[in-house]
Amino acid sequence: MFANERGGILITSEIEERAREIEESLRPLRSVTFMRDDFKIEDAKEVIAEAYKSEENTKTLILGAKSFTVPAQNALLKILEEPPRNIVFILIAPNKSTFLPTVRSRLSLTQEHTQRTHEALPISLKTLDLSGLFAFVKENDRLKKHEAKALIEQLMHQAIHIEKLPLSTVQLEGFDKALRLIELNSRLQSVLVMVLMNFLKEVKRGR
């Protein structure tokens, strides 16, 4: 599957399904799968401990997550570059941007091209008012990090492709800033208000 004998990175929206398929394809050789929503430093330590358990035959460690924290990736760097004897790593995530360039440079990368579909959200950015803004924020203030990032991308898709709004520089930069803030663990409630207020101001100016 991967050109690099140390293993590789697989980018796919079907994380758990692909992990199971890889496990099946490797048999009778041993594999150990670490499946998480958000892969953290304690998960990286668990992986490293498993990697240093001696093996006579090849053992593949499969790390699947919707997001990998920066501390976790930094903890894995050395072992990815110099894995113990007979250890192979496969990292699976939905987006290439999840991984640090230093991680991507150590492993070959395979990207599955899957068509991402966006359904219309129950909010109109074109006619947004304060009550609609706060109702939407309240409904979506408890999402996990990967879900929050997906929601921001969905809002941007709705603005551009569904409602076909001529976005200003401020509005476009608001989406970019929102994704960065979510990655830094900012409160989703505050991030959503920041993004949506840009559209509320546009409505007010048009009246």
Side-chain angles (χ1 to χ4, degrees):
M1 179 185 290
F2 301 104
N4 191 325
E5 63 182 11
R6 294 194 296 258
I9 296 171
L10 175 63
I11 304 302
T12 176
S13 59
E14 308 294 333
I15 300 173
E16 294 186 15
E17 292 86 344
R18 297 294 283 121
R20 285 196 296 268
E21 290 172 7
I22 292 168
E23 287 175 351
E24 290 292 330
S25 70
L26 292 170
R27 290 180 179 174
L29 293 175
R30 186 165 177 249
S31 63
V32 181
T33 299
F34 300 83
M35 192 64 57
R36 307 286 189 268
D37 275 336
D38 191 22
F39 204 90
K40 300 178 180 178
I41 183 71
E42 54 265 30
D43 303 311
K45 291 177 180 178
E46 189 177 346
V47 168
I48 292 168
E50 181 64 40
Y52 280 112
K53 293 177 182 177
S54 60
E55 300 286 334
E56 290 194 11
N57 298 311
T58 300
K59 177 173 69 177
T60 302
L61 303 185
I62 304 169
L63 287 56
K66 294 183 174 70
S67 63
F68 286 73
T69 66
V70 171
Q73 292 185 65
N74 284 332
L76 291 169
L77 281 178
K78 182 173 175 56
I79 202 167
L80 291 175
E81 186 168 18
E82 299 177 1
R85 180 173 172 270
N86 292 333
I87 297 297
V88 174
F89 290 94
I90 296 178
L91 281 58
I92 310 176
N95 299 296
K96 183 170 67 173
S97 59
T98 296
F99 297 105
L100 298 169
T102 45
V103 170
R104 297 204 301 265
S105 70
R106 284 159 170 75
L107 299 169
S108 59
L109 187 142
T110 300
Q111 189 158 3
E112 292 185 348
H113 297 286
T114 54
Q115 186 67 32
R116 176 179 290 183
T117 58
H118 292 281
E119 296 181 1
L121 292 166
I123 184 173
S124 171
L125 298 172
K126 186 181 294 185
T127 60
L128 185 64
D129 58 21
L130 273 175
S131 62
L133 184 155
F134 288 115
F136 185 81
V137 170
K138 184 177 180 180
E139 184 179 346
N140 294 282
D141 67 349
R142 295 187 179 276
L143 301 181
K144 295 178 180 177
K145 181 186 287 188
H146 69 275
E147 294 171 330
K149 291 170 75 173
L151 180 63
I152 297 299
E153 291 174 358
Q154 200 170 357
L155 278 168
M156 184 164 62
H157 181 271
Q158 176 145 331
I160 297 171
H161 299 290
I162 296 178
E163 299 190 34
K164 300 187 184 303
L165 300 177
L167 299 189
S168 67
T169 300
V170 170
Q171 289 169 327
L172 286 169
E173 289 177 349
F175 286 119
D176 287 340
K177 184 178 180 181
L179 291 171
R180 291 196 300 271
L181 288 172
I182 290 170
E183 191 60 42
L184 294 171
N185 298 315
S186 297
R187 287 185 65 206
L188 177 57
Q189 188 178 52
S190 301
V191 174
L192 282 175
V193 169
M194 177 201 72
V195 170
L196 295 175
M197 283 296 289
N198 289 330
F199 291 89
L200 189 68
K201 291 174 183 175
E202 286 293 311
V203 170
K204 285 183 176 179
R205 280 201 291 271
R207 288 179 178 172

